[in-house]
Amino acid sequence: MKDFTQNGFAEGDTPINTQRRALVKYTIAWSVLGGALASVPVRRLMAAAAPAETGGAASAEAAAFLQASRFLTAKEVSPMMAQRCYDALKKRMPDLDQVAASVNKLVADRQLHHVDDYLALQDVDKALDTKAKGIIQALYLGVVGQDEKAELFAYEEALMYDPTRDILVVPTYGRGPNSWGPKPVSVTVKVEK
């Protein structure tokens, strides 16, 4: 039986064995750290890296939209994703600030605690209800609009992937600029009979 020294290595180990064991320990430690970071959803990392809001009217509107978004989805929507959704929705819904303020006021006035409480209401203004559900749809799909001018503002961060995010990788084919390779050269083929 071998006697072990203070550093956990057996007496008589050669320096090469000692270095090899140290390398294995460091590799395992870095693997565990990498695995822990890989399990953190991208939107949480992006929220942590998001710059602090800078006061003013735009940030008050963004904060109101973020509050409404979090209530309507019952999810922790990151400020960055909410801002991208806000920018995309604002193009199609000019009264978006009023919609967010109305949703927040309704939640406060009726003391609603969950989106299910909102959905159970029978006396909600139909126009407000339609626009509120448009916000929900946009945040879940990551897309604003359903026509040829639809705008994609989130893909991997879209809320529709939350139920399986810890099990499945979000399907994507493009991982950034130039990930597809160079554009193919146009070729004309002449077919003769």
Side-chain angles (χ1 to χ4, degrees):
M1 188 169 232
K2 292 186 177 183
D3 292 330
F4 290 92
T5 61
Q6 287 179 332
N7 61 8
F9 299 119
E11 281 187 31
D13 273 353
T14 63
I16 293 175
N17 286 342
T18 306
Q19 291 172 348
R20 189 176 299 143
R21 287 183 184 178
L23 177 64
V24 169
K25 284 182 180 180
Y26 290 128
T27 303
I28 291 170
W30 279 107
S31 298
V32 169
L33 178 63
L37 288 177
S39 67
V40 176
V42 173
R43 73 173 168 276
R44 284 194 192 144
L45 291 174
M46 292 172 67
E53 295 185 37
T54 58
S59 65
E61 293 164 349
F65 180 77
L66 177 62
Q67 180 183 353
S69 298
R70 287 178 174 169
F71 173 78
L72 289 170
T73 61
K75 303 270 186 192
E76 187 60 33
V77 178
S78 75
M80 186 178 288
M81 182 171 159
Q83 184 64 50
R84 290 193 317 246
C85 181
Y86 175 85
D87 293 340
L89 273 171
K90 188 76 172 166
K91 296 172 189 172
R92 292 180 181 249
M93 197 184 301
D95 62 340
L96 182 59
D97 299 327
Q98 295 167 331
V99 171
S102 297
V103 167
N104 292 334
K105 183 176 181 337
L106 183 67
V107 168
D109 290 349
R110 304 265 182 110
Q111 296 183 358
L112 304 175
H113 299 290
H114 194 271
V115 67
D116 291 338
D117 299 335
Y118 166 77
L119 294 173
L121 296 176
Q122 299 294 321
D123 58 343
V124 178
D125 177 38
K126 295 294 181 193
L128 175 64
D129 188 49
T130 301
K131 291 177 181 182
K133 288 177 180 172
I135 293 171
I136 296 170
Q137 179 181 9
L139 288 166
Y140 267 85
L141 298 179
V143 177
V144 172
Q146 296 177 351
D147 55 6
E148 66 277 352
K149 294 181 183 178
E151 184 175 342
L152 176 74
F153 66 87
Y155 184 73
E156 289 183 72
E157 301 89 13
L159 298 179
M160 69 178 166
Y161 295 116
D162 277 359
T164 58
R165 190 174 302 281
D166 60 339
I167 300 168
L168 300 174
V169 176
V170 176
T172 184
Y173 301 100
R175 293 285 182 192
N178 300 322
S179 64
W180 288 84
K183 184 177 178 180
V185 177
S186 178
V187 177
T188 305
V189 177
K190 193 173 187 180
V191 178
E192 295 182 19
K193 291 187 179 183

